[in-house]
Amino acid sequence: MKHKLTVLVAISAALTLAGCSQTTQSNTQSSQSKTSKVAKNSSDNSNTSTASSKNKDTYTKLSASKMDYKTTASAIAVYAAQKYGDTWEIAVNAAKQGNLGVAFRSKDATGITSDNDGYVYEVSGTGKSSNARYMLAGDGADKQVTIFVKQRNLDTTSLKDIVAYLNQKNDADLVKQLAEKTQLNVKLAGDEDTQKTTNNSSASVIPSSLQGTWYTADTGNGNIDTLTVTDNKINDEAGFSMNVKAKTSGSSTSDGYMKQTTINGISFYSFTNMGQTPGQGSTYLAPHTEDGQSVIVSANSNGRTNAVYWKSEALAKKNSNKQFSDLKY
């Protein structure tokens, strides 16, 4: 009897220990499972936080030193719309639904009085003449931008400061979207400058071999510069504009006259402001041929080539900064 009781006690103790072991093991596994889930969740949160942080740091940025003329016009418009509202905001909002048109106008036609000798860029999103205007002076990131509403001078600031402001506002994407829809040297309805030029230009002055829209990538940074020549007017995006008269007299600082001259065996046409003689400060253009393509050679008074203009942007990019053996550099 005593022996049986001893066996029963031993069996009972063994069962108790087995139960405790299973309970402990179950609790340990549960604890490990919870710990694993917590660690996983923590890792997921960390990854999400890192991704979010990366997204915040990957906003598109503008560069003032690598900006073509269409992007420059778009950046100025967006900046002015945010800073000053008024007609600038109207132009930008309209351009979002259509195109951002930029007309090249003279100071005389707009009534703007400024020490700047360049011409006035008039910005519109409706295709109609606008009071949103600006003028440029200088080059590169330090280029000075003077912003107007009609004839009222609002401010002069540098392109790099405009770009810094837009980058801070994370507006680079908007600027680039508008730049893709920007059209330069457009004719706006009600453009008094266009009417004035037409009225004063009864006969074609510039030869047809120079006329048209031409492109060059000889800008040093690969950007495209456009030269537009009509029968009586020259515009380029670098800031040169001239109404070409048949006679060497005129009342406007935007007026000039043309003469023909041969330099280094190439027949150039010089375009000179009224009251001046051809030479330094004049623009020299020559119809020419390179690689079987019609081009325009732009040079200084010594015949040294500044740029070669092509009939398409693709040809301009293909021949970017290329030097030709028959031209002087």
Side-chain angles (χ1 to χ4, degrees):
M1 181 67 179
K2 184 175 181 181
H3 177 71
K4 288 182 178 180
L5 289 175
T6 301
V7 171
L8 289 173
V9 170
I11 292 172
S12 176
L15 290 174
T16 300
L17 288 173
C20 289
S21 175
Q22 288 177 355
T23 300
T24 301
Q25 183 177 359
S26 176
N27 289 339
T28 300
Q29 290 176 345
S30 176
S31 176
Q32 288 176 341
S33 177
K34 289 180 180 179
T35 301
S36 176
K37 288 181 179 179
V38 170
K40 184 177 180 181
N41 289 339
S42 176
S43 175
D44 290 343
N45 290 338
S46 175
N47 290 337
T48 301
S49 176
T50 302
S52 177
S53 176
K54 286 182 179 179
N55 288 336
K56 290 180 180 179
D57 293 336
T58 55
Y59 286 116
T60 303
K61 298 293 185 182
L62 298 169
S63 172
S65 61
K66 298 178 180 178
M67 187 172 288
D68 60 26
Y69 292 100
K70 291 183 178 181
T71 308
T72 297
S74 174
I76 292 170
V78 173
Y79 170 83
Q82 292 200 12
K83 290 278 286 188
Y84 308 110
D86 199 84
T87 188
W88 282 99
E89 188 173 5
I90 294 172
V92 168
N93 286 338
K96 292 176 183 178
Q97 308 303 320
N99 296 307
L100 188 70
V102 183
F104 301 165
R105 305 190 61 189
S106 68
K107 291 192 297 181
D108 286 348
T110 58
I112 288 177
T113 57
S114 170
D115 293 335
N116 192 325
D117 291 329
Y119 52 93
V120 179
Y121 298 83
E122 187 167 294
V123 179
S124 174
T126 62
K128 297 180 180 180
S129 187
S130 165
N131 290 328
R133 300 162 176 170
Y134 67 91
M135 297 186 74
L136 301 175
D139 298 304
D142 293 322
K143 182 181 296 179
Q144 296 297 297
V145 183
T146 303
I147 298 171
F148 300 85
V149 168
K150 203 171 182 179
Q151 291 91 13
R152 182 161 55 96
N153 185 331
L154 300 181
D155 189 25
T156 297
T157 186
S158 68
L159 182 60
K160 67 181 178 183
D161 286 341
I162 289 176
V163 167
Y165 175 91
L166 293 171
N167 283 336
Q168 186 179 21
K169 297 287 186 179
N170 299 315
D171 281 331
D173 287 337
L174 173 59
V175 169
K176 292 184 176 182
Q177 288 168 11
L178 284 185
E180 291 178 357
K181 301 191 294 180
T182 296
Q183 298 176 343
L184 300 175
N185 197 22
V186 300
K187 303 303 180 185
L188 300 175
D191 188 332
E192 297 172 6
D193 193 18
T194 301
Q195 295 171 0
K196 180 179 177 181
T197 301
T198 302
N199 293 337
N200 291 339
S201 303
S202 57
S204 177
V205 179
I206 303 174
S208 59
S209 57
L210 288 177
Q211 294 179 30
T213 302
W214 306 82
Y215 307 88
T216 185
D218 297 345
T219 54
N221 55 14
N223 291 336
I224 297 294
D225 189 359
T226 303
L227 171 69
T228 305
V229 184
T230 67
D231 55 355
N232 296 94
K233 191 167 186 176
I234 297 176
N235 280 308
D236 73 33
E237 294 176 354
F240 175 79
S241 179
M242 178 179 288
N243 300 320
V244 183
K245 306 296 183 180
K247 298 180 179 180
T248 59
S249 62
S251 58
S252 173
T253 56
S254 64
D255 290 345
Y257 64 96
M258 180 188 73
K259 282 194 171 184
Q260 192 170 11
T261 183
T262 299
I263 309 174
N264 301 328
I266 297 177
S267 181
F268 281 92
Y269 293 90
S270 65
F271 297 88
T272 308
N273 289 327
M274 294 298 182
Q276 297 180 340
T277 57
Q280 191 171 6
S282 299
T283 294
Y284 288 79
L285 302 177
H288 199 57
T289 301
E290 293 293 355
D291 289 346
Q293 299 288 334
S294 295
V295 300
I296 288 182
V297 178
S298 172
N300 61 20
S301 58
N302 294 321
R304 293 188 179 277
T305 304
N306 297 321
V308 176
Y309 287 85
W310 303 80
K311 274 294 188 180
S312 71
E313 293 189 35
L315 285 171
K317 290 179 180 179
K318 179 182 177 182
N319 294 282
S320 176
N321 299 310
K322 184 177 179 180
Q323 294 193 353
F324 297 92
S325 58
D326 60 332
L327 300 180
K328 183 178 179 181
Y329 292 88

PDB file of all heavy atoms in Angstrom, residues 64-95:
ATOM      1  N   ALA A  64      19.379  78.596 -61.642  1.00  0.00           N
ATOM      2  CA  ALA A  64      19.436  79.884 -62.351  1.00  0.00           C
ATOM      3  C   ALA A  64      20.538  79.906 -63.400  1.00  0.00           C
ATOM      4  O   ALA A  64      20.460  80.655 -64.372  1.00  0.00           O
ATOM      5  CB  ALA A  64      19.648  81.020 -61.344  1.00  0.00           C
ATOM      6  N   SER A  65      21.560  79.086 -63.229  1.00  0.00           N
ATOM      7  CA  SER A  65      22.681  79.080 -64.167  1.00  0.00           C
ATOM      8  C   SER A  65      22.444  78.134 -65.344  1.00  0.00           C
ATOM      9  O   SER A  65      23.218  78.129 -66.291  1.00  0.00           O
ATOM     10  CB  SER A  65      23.970  78.672 -63.442  1.00  0.00           C
ATOM     11  OG  SER A  65      23.848  77.374 -62.901  1.00  0.00           O
ATOM     12  N   LYS A  66      21.378  77.328 -65.277  1.00  0.00           N
ATOM     13  CA  LYS A  66      21.070  76.382 -66.346  1.00  0.00           C
ATOM     14  C   LYS A  66      19.610  76.541 -66.760  1.00  0.00           C
ATOM     15  O   LYS A  66      18.827  75.603 -66.703  1.00  0.00           O
ATOM     16  CB  LYS A  66      21.342  74.945 -65.893  1.00  0.00           C
ATOM     17  CG  LYS A  66      22.787  74.669 -65.524  1.00  0.00           C
ATOM     18  CD  LYS A  66      22.969  73.243 -65.043  1.00  0.00           C
ATOM     19  CE  LYS A  66      24.411  72.956 -64.666  1.00  0.00           C
ATOM     20  NZ  LYS A  66      24.590  71.570 -64.159  1.00  0.00           N
ATOM     21  N   MET A  67      19.264  77.733 -67.167  1.00  0.00           N
ATOM     22  CA  MET A  67      17.864  78.030 -67.460  1.00  0.00           C
ATOM     23  C   MET A  67      17.736  78.628 -68.853  1.00  0.00           C
ATOM     24  O   MET A  67      18.358  79.639 -69.163  1.00  0.00           O
ATOM     25  CB  MET A  67      17.312  78.997 -66.400  1.00  0.00           C
ATOM     26  CG  MET A  67      15.829  79.242 -66.498  1.00  0.00           C
ATOM     27  SD  MET A  67      15.206  80.202 -65.079  1.00  0.00           S
ATOM     28  CE  MET A  67      15.315  78.982 -63.772  1.00  0.00           C
ATOM     29  N   ASP A  68      16.934  77.990 -69.718  1.00  0.00           N
ATOM     30  CA  ASP A  68      16.722  78.539 -71.053  1.00  0.00           C
ATOM     31  C   ASP A  68      15.717  79.687 -70.985  1.00  0.00           C
ATOM     32  O   ASP A  68      15.167  80.003 -69.926  1.00  0.00           O
ATOM     33  CB  ASP A  68      16.267  77.451 -72.029  1.00  0.00           C
ATOM     34  CG  ASP A  68      14.957  76.787 -71.612  1.00  0.00           C
ATOM     35  OD1 ASP A  68      14.150  77.426 -70.912  1.00  0.00           O
ATOM     36  OD2 ASP A  68      14.746  75.618 -71.986  1.00  0.00           O
ATOM     37  N   TYR A  69      15.470  80.313 -72.138  1.00  0.00           N
ATOM     38  CA  TYR A  69      14.668  81.536 -72.145  1.00  0.00           C
ATOM     39  C   TYR A  69      13.199  81.278 -71.826  1.00  0.00           C
ATOM     40  O   TYR A  69      12.535  82.108 -71.195  1.00  0.00           O
ATOM     41  CB  TYR A  69      14.820  82.243 -73.493  1.00  0.00           C
ATOM     42  CG  TYR A  69      16.204  82.791 -73.693  1.00  0.00           C
ATOM     43  CD1 TYR A  69      17.134  82.111 -74.469  1.00  0.00           C
ATOM     44  CD2 TYR A  69      16.599  83.972 -73.082  1.00  0.00           C
ATOM     45  CE1 TYR A  69      18.418  82.605 -74.637  1.00  0.00           C
ATOM     46  CE2 TYR A  69      17.879  84.472 -73.245  1.00  0.00           C
ATOM     47  CZ  TYR A  69      18.782  83.781 -74.022  1.00  0.00           C
ATOM     48  OH  TYR A  69      20.061  84.263 -74.177  1.00  0.00           O
ATOM     49  N   LYS A  70      12.666  80.140 -72.260  1.00  0.00           N
ATOM     50  CA  LYS A  70      11.275  79.828 -71.958  1.00  0.00           C
ATOM     51  C   LYS A  70      11.084  79.570 -70.469  1.00  0.00           C
ATOM     52  O   LYS A  70      10.101  80.022 -69.870  1.00  0.00           O
ATOM     53  CB  LYS A  70      10.826  78.617 -72.778  1.00  0.00           C
ATOM     54  CG  LYS A  70      10.703  78.893 -74.264  1.00  0.00           C
ATOM     55  CD  LYS A  70      10.176  77.684 -75.014  1.00  0.00           C
ATOM     56  CE  LYS A  70      10.022  77.990 -76.504  1.00  0.00           C
ATOM     57  NZ  LYS A  70       9.484  76.833 -77.250  1.00  0.00           N
ATOM     58  N   THR A  71      12.018  78.851 -69.857  1.00  0.00           N
ATOM     59  CA  THR A  71      11.928  78.594 -68.423  1.00  0.00           C
ATOM     60  C   THR A  71      12.132  79.886 -67.633  1.00  0.00           C
ATOM     61  O   THR A  71      11.491  80.099 -66.598  1.00  0.00           O
ATOM     62  CB  THR A  71      12.973  77.547 -67.992  1.00  0.00           C
ATOM     63  OG1 THR A  71      12.855  76.389 -68.822  1.00  0.00           O
ATOM     64  CG2 THR A  71      12.758  77.129 -66.539  1.00  0.00           C
ATOM     65  N   THR A  72      13.007  80.761 -68.124  1.00  0.00           N
ATOM     66  CA  THR A  72      13.207  82.055 -67.473  1.00  0.00           C
ATOM     67  C   THR A  72      11.913  82.858 -67.469  1.00  0.00           C
ATOM     68  O   THR A  72      11.511  83.414 -66.440  1.00  0.00           O
ATOM     69  CB  THR A  72      14.307  82.855 -68.183  1.00  0.00           C
ATOM     70  OG1 THR A  72      15.551  82.145 -68.080  1.00  0.00           O
ATOM     71  CG2 THR A  72      14.476  84.239 -67.569  1.00  0.00           C
ATOM     72  N   ALA A  73      11.244  82.920 -68.618  1.00  0.00           N
ATOM     73  CA  ALA A  73       9.977  83.660 -68.715  1.00  0.00           C
ATOM     74  C   ALA A  73       8.929  83.064 -67.783  1.00  0.00           C
ATOM     75  O   ALA A  73       8.209  83.789 -67.084  1.00  0.00           O
ATOM     76  CB  ALA A  73       9.483  83.647 -70.156  1.00  0.00           C
ATOM     77  N   SER A  74       8.844  81.738 -67.748  1.00  0.00           N
ATOM     78  CA  SER A  74       7.884  81.061 -66.879  1.00  0.00           C
ATOM     79  C   SER A  74       8.186  81.337 -65.409  1.00  0.00           C
ATOM     80  O   SER A  74       7.285  81.620 -64.611  1.00  0.00           O
ATOM     81  CB  SER A  74       7.917  79.556 -67.150  1.00  0.00           C
ATOM     82  OG  SER A  74       7.096  78.861 -66.241  1.00  0.00           O
ATOM     83  N   ALA A  75       9.468  81.269 -65.035  1.00  0.00           N
ATOM     84  CA  ALA A  75       9.863  81.501 -63.640  1.00  0.00           C
ATOM     85  C   ALA A  75       9.525  82.928 -63.203  1.00  0.00           C
ATOM     86  O   ALA A  75       9.010  83.148 -62.099  1.00  0.00           O
ATOM     87  CB  ALA A  75      11.360  81.243 -63.472  1.00  0.00           C
ATOM     88  N   ILE A  76       9.805  83.897 -64.061  1.00  0.00           N
ATOM     89  CA  ILE A  76       9.502  85.293 -63.734  1.00  0.00           C
ATOM     90  C   ILE A  76       8.003  85.483 -63.556  1.00  0.00           C
ATOM     91  O   ILE A  76       7.549  86.159 -62.625  1.00  0.00           O
ATOM     92  CB  ILE A  76      10.048  86.228 -64.827  1.00  0.00           C
ATOM     93  CG1 ILE A  76      11.578  86.213 -64.815  1.00  0.00           C
ATOM     94  CG2 ILE A  76       9.545  87.656 -64.630  1.00  0.00           C
ATOM     95  CD1 ILE A  76      12.211  86.911 -66.005  1.00  0.00           C
ATOM     96  N   ALA A  77       7.206  84.862 -64.437  1.00  0.00           N
ATOM     97  CA  ALA A  77       5.747  84.999 -64.364  1.00  0.00           C
ATOM     98  C   ALA A  77       5.191  84.405 -63.074  1.00  0.00           C
ATOM     99  O   ALA A  77       4.358  85.022 -62.394  1.00  0.00           O
ATOM    100  CB  ALA A  77       5.108  84.341 -65.584  1.00  0.00           C
ATOM    101  N   VAL A  78       5.649  83.205 -62.719  1.00  0.00           N
ATOM    102  CA  VAL A  78       5.159  82.554 -61.492  1.00  0.00           C
ATOM    103  C   VAL A  78       5.582  83.350 -60.259  1.00  0.00           C
ATOM    104  O   VAL A  78       4.795  83.554 -59.326  1.00  0.00           O
ATOM    105  CB  VAL A  78       5.685  81.100 -61.402  1.00  0.00           C
ATOM    106  CG1 VAL A  78       5.321  80.480 -60.051  1.00  0.00           C
ATOM    107  CG2 VAL A  78       5.099  80.263 -62.535  1.00  0.00           C
ATOM    108  N   TYR A  79       6.823  83.826 -60.261  1.00  0.00           N
ATOM    109  CA  TYR A  79       7.326  84.642 -59.151  1.00  0.00           C
ATOM    110  C   TYR A  79       6.491  85.910 -58.990  1.00  0.00           C
ATOM    111  O   TYR A  79       6.031  86.236 -57.894  1.00  0.00           O
ATOM    112  CB  TYR A  79       8.789  84.998 -59.423  1.00  0.00           C
ATOM    113  CG  TYR A  79       9.387  86.031 -58.477  1.00  0.00           C
ATOM    114  CD1 TYR A  79       9.895  85.664 -57.235  1.00  0.00           C
ATOM    115  CD2 TYR A  79       9.456  87.367 -58.856  1.00  0.00           C
ATOM    116  CE1 TYR A  79      10.444  86.606 -56.382  1.00  0.00           C
ATOM    117  CE2 TYR A  79      10.001  88.323 -58.013  1.00  0.00           C
ATOM    118  CZ  TYR A  79      10.495  87.935 -56.774  1.00  0.00           C
ATOM    119  OH  TYR A  79      11.037  88.886 -55.927  1.00  0.00           O
ATOM    120  N   ALA A  80       6.280  86.644 -60.081  1.00  0.00           N
ATOM    121  CA  ALA A  80       5.537  87.905 -60.023  1.00  0.00           C
ATOM    122  C   ALA A  80       4.084  87.676 -59.627  1.00  0.00           C
ATOM    123  O   ALA A  80       3.485  88.480 -58.899  1.00  0.00           O
ATOM    124  CB  ALA A  80       5.617  88.620 -61.365  1.00  0.00           C
ATOM    125  N   ALA A  81       3.506  86.560 -60.097  1.00  0.00           N
ATOM    126  CA  ALA A  81       2.116  86.249 -59.741  1.00  0.00           C
ATOM    127  C   ALA A  81       1.977  86.043 -58.241  1.00  0.00           C
ATOM    128  O   ALA A  81       0.993  86.481 -57.626  1.00  0.00           O
ATOM    129  CB  ALA A  81       1.655  85.005 -60.496  1.00  0.00           C
ATOM    130  N   GLN A  82       2.958  85.376 -57.633  1.00  0.00           N
ATOM    131  CA  GLN A  82       2.902  85.115 -56.193  1.00  0.00           C
ATOM    132  C   GLN A  82       3.224  86.349 -55.370  1.00  0.00           C
ATOM    133  O   GLN A  82       2.610  86.594 -54.334  1.00  0.00           O
ATOM    134  CB  GLN A  82       3.862  83.980 -55.832  1.00  0.00           C
ATOM    135  CG  GLN A  82       3.441  82.631 -56.376  1.00  0.00           C
ATOM    136  CD  GLN A  82       4.107  81.492 -55.627  1.00  0.00           C
ATOM    137  OE1 GLN A  82       4.706  81.672 -54.570  1.00  0.00           O
ATOM    138  NE2 GLN A  82       4.001  80.291 -56.163  1.00  0.00           N
ATOM    139  N   LYS A  83       4.187  87.122 -55.838  1.00  0.00           N
ATOM    140  CA  LYS A  83       4.633  88.292 -55.069  1.00  0.00           C
ATOM    141  C   LYS A  83       3.685  89.484 -55.198  1.00  0.00           C
ATOM    142  O   LYS A  83       3.451  90.222 -54.238  1.00  0.00           O
ATOM    143  CB  LYS A  83       6.037  88.703 -55.527  1.00  0.00           C
ATOM    144  CG  LYS A  83       7.134  87.730 -55.145  1.00  0.00           C
ATOM    145  CD  LYS A  83       7.607  87.931 -53.715  1.00  0.00           C
ATOM    146  CE  LYS A  83       8.462  89.169 -53.597  1.00  0.00           C
ATOM    147  NZ  LYS A  83       9.085  89.296 -52.259  1.00  0.00           N
ATOM    148  N   TYR A  84       3.149  89.693 -56.406  1.00  0.00           N
ATOM    149  CA  TYR A  84       2.410  90.928 -56.671  1.00  0.00           C
ATOM    150  C   TYR A  84       0.968  90.718 -57.121  1.00  0.00           C
ATOM    151  O   TYR A  84       0.186  91.674 -57.121  1.00  0.00           O
ATOM    152  CB  TYR A  84       3.152  91.755 -57.739  1.00  0.00           C
ATOM    153  CG  TYR A  84       4.605  91.966 -57.402  1.00  0.00           C
ATOM    154  CD1 TYR A  84       5.611  91.345 -58.123  1.00  0.00           C
ATOM    155  CD2 TYR A  84       4.977  92.776 -56.319  1.00  0.00           C
ATOM    156  CE1 TYR A  84       6.949  91.529 -57.797  1.00  0.00           C
ATOM    157  CE2 TYR A  84       6.314  92.958 -55.991  1.00  0.00           C
ATOM    158  CZ  TYR A  84       7.292  92.330 -56.736  1.00  0.00           C
ATOM    159  OH  TYR A  84       8.616  92.504 -56.412  1.00  0.00           O
ATOM    160  N   GLY A  85       0.597  89.490 -57.494  1.00  0.00           N
ATOM    161  CA  GLY A  85      -0.772  89.232 -57.912  1.00  0.00           C
ATOM    162  C   GLY A  85      -1.151  90.060 -59.119  1.00  0.00           C
ATOM    163  O   GLY A  85      -0.437  90.095 -60.121  1.00  0.00           O
ATOM    164  N   ASP A  86      -2.316  90.731 -59.051  1.00  0.00           N
ATOM    165  CA  ASP A  86      -2.758  91.667 -60.091  1.00  0.00           C
ATOM    166  C   ASP A  86      -2.782  90.987 -61.458  1.00  0.00           C
ATOM    167  O   ASP A  86      -3.183  89.826 -61.589  1.00  0.00           O
ATOM    168  CB  ASP A  86      -1.840  92.901 -60.087  1.00  0.00           C
ATOM    169  CG  ASP A  86      -2.473  94.105 -60.778  1.00  0.00           C
ATOM    170  OD1 ASP A  86      -3.244  94.815 -60.111  1.00  0.00           O
ATOM    171  OD2 ASP A  86      -2.215  94.287 -61.967  1.00  0.00           O
ATOM    172  N   THR A  87      -2.342  91.700 -62.486  1.00  0.00           N
ATOM    173  CA  THR A  87      -2.397  91.192 -63.851  1.00  0.00           C
ATOM    174  C   THR A  87      -1.463  90.001 -64.064  1.00  0.00           C
ATOM    175  O   THR A  87      -1.672  89.185 -64.956  1.00  0.00           O
ATOM    176  CB  THR A  87      -2.057  92.327 -64.847  1.00  0.00           C
ATOM    177  OG1 THR A  87      -2.285  91.874 -66.175  1.00  0.00           O
ATOM    178  CG2 THR A  87      -0.593  92.758 -64.710  1.00  0.00           C
ATOM    179  N   TRP A  88      -0.417  89.888 -63.229  1.00  0.00           N
ATOM    180  CA  TRP A  88       0.495  88.745 -63.313  1.00  0.00           C
ATOM    181  C   TRP A  88      -0.218  87.448 -62.926  1.00  0.00           C
ATOM    182  O   TRP A  88      -0.047  86.419 -63.575  1.00  0.00           O
ATOM    183  CB  TRP A  88       1.706  88.962 -62.399  1.00  0.00           C
ATOM    184  CG  TRP A  88       2.713  89.895 -62.977  1.00  0.00           C
ATOM    185  CD1 TRP A  88       2.882  91.212 -62.695  1.00  0.00           C
ATOM    186  CD2 TRP A  88       3.698  89.574 -63.966  1.00  0.00           C
ATOM    187  NE1 TRP A  88       3.908  91.750 -63.439  1.00  0.00           N
ATOM    188  CE2 TRP A  88       4.429  90.759 -64.220  1.00  0.00           C
ATOM    189  CE3 TRP A  88       4.035  88.415 -64.653  1.00  0.00           C
ATOM    190  CZ2 TRP A  88       5.477  90.797 -65.142  1.00  0.00           C
ATOM    191  CZ3 TRP A  88       5.076  88.452 -65.575  1.00  0.00           C
ATOM    192  CH2 TRP A  88       5.779  89.630 -65.801  1.00  0.00           C
ATOM    193  N   GLU A  89      -1.009  87.503 -61.876  1.00  0.00           N
ATOM    194  CA  GLU A  89      -1.747  86.312 -61.440  1.00  0.00           C
ATOM    195  C   GLU A  89      -2.773  85.901 -62.496  1.00  0.00           C
ATOM    196  O   GLU A  89      -2.972  84.714 -62.763  1.00  0.00           O
ATOM    197  CB  GLU A  89      -2.438  86.598 -60.108  1.00  0.00           C
ATOM    198  CG  GLU A  89      -3.065  85.367 -59.474  1.00  0.00           C
ATOM    199  CD  GLU A  89      -3.584  85.634 -58.078  1.00  0.00           C
ATOM    200  OE1 GLU A  89      -3.540  86.804 -57.633  1.00  0.00           O
ATOM    201  OE2 GLU A  89      -4.042  84.688 -57.423  1.00  0.00           O
ATOM    202  N   ILE A  90      -3.415  86.898 -63.105  1.00  0.00           N
ATOM    203  CA  ILE A  90      -4.383  86.612 -64.164  1.00  0.00           C
ATOM    204  C   ILE A  90      -3.699  85.904 -65.333  1.00  0.00           C
ATOM    205  O   ILE A  90      -4.206  84.922 -65.883  1.00  0.00           O
ATOM    206  CB  ILE A  90      -5.046  87.921 -64.654  1.00  0.00           C
ATOM    207  CG1 ILE A  90      -5.908  88.519 -63.526  1.00  0.00           C
ATOM    208  CG2 ILE A  90      -5.879  87.681 -65.896  1.00  0.00           C
ATOM    209  CD1 ILE A  90      -6.445  89.900 -63.832  1.00  0.00           C
ATOM    210  N   ALA A  91      -2.524  86.399 -65.706  1.00  0.00           N
ATOM    211  CA  ALA A  91      -1.778  85.812 -66.829  1.00  0.00           C
ATOM    212  C   ALA A  91      -1.393  84.365 -66.557  1.00  0.00           C
ATOM    213  O   ALA A  91      -1.551  83.484 -67.409  1.00  0.00           O
ATOM    214  CB  ALA A  91      -0.546  86.652 -67.129  1.00  0.00           C
ATOM    215  N   VAL A  92      -0.878  84.101 -65.356  1.00  0.00           N
ATOM    216  CA  VAL A  92      -0.425  82.744 -65.014  1.00  0.00           C
ATOM    217  C   VAL A  92      -1.604  81.786 -64.921  1.00  0.00           C
ATOM    218  O   VAL A  92      -1.542  80.653 -65.435  1.00  0.00           O
ATOM    219  CB  VAL A  92       0.380  82.758 -63.698  1.00  0.00           C
ATOM    220  CG1 VAL A  92       0.607  81.340 -63.180  1.00  0.00           C
ATOM    221  CG2 VAL A  92       1.720  83.449 -63.905  1.00  0.00           C
ATOM    222  N   ASN A  93      -2.694  82.197 -64.287  1.00  0.00           N
ATOM    223  CA  ASN A  93      -3.863  81.324 -64.172  1.00  0.00           C
ATOM    224  C   ASN A  93      -4.438  80.985 -65.543  1.00  0.00           C
ATOM    225  O   ASN A  93      -4.856  79.846 -65.791  1.00  0.00           O
ATOM    226  CB  ASN A  93      -4.932  81.983 -63.291  1.00  0.00           C
ATOM    227  CG  ASN A  93      -4.567  81.964 -61.823  1.00  0.00           C
ATOM    228  OD1 ASN A  93      -3.759  81.139 -61.390  1.00  0.00           O
ATOM    229  ND2 ASN A  93      -5.127  82.870 -61.044  1.00  0.00           N
ATOM    230  N   ALA A  94      -4.463  81.970 -66.435  1.00  0.00           N
ATOM    231  CA  ALA A  94      -4.961  81.715 -67.790  1.00  0.00           C
ATOM    232  C   ALA A  94      -4.013  80.795 -68.548  1.00  0.00           C
ATOM    233  O   ALA A  94      -4.447  79.927 -69.313  1.00  0.00           O
ATOM    234  CB  ALA A  94      -5.135  83.033 -68.537  1.00  0.00           C
ATOM    235  N   ALA A  95      -2.702  80.970 -68.323  1.00  0.00           N
ATOM    236  CA  ALA A  95      -1.699  80.161 -69.030  1.00  0.00           C
ATOM    237  C   ALA A  95      -1.778  78.690 -68.637  1.00  0.00           C
ATOM    238  O   ALA A  95      -1.435  77.810 -69.435  1.00  0.00           O
ATOM    239  CB  ALA A  95      -0.302  80.701 -68.750  1.00  0.00           C
TER     240      ALA A  95
END
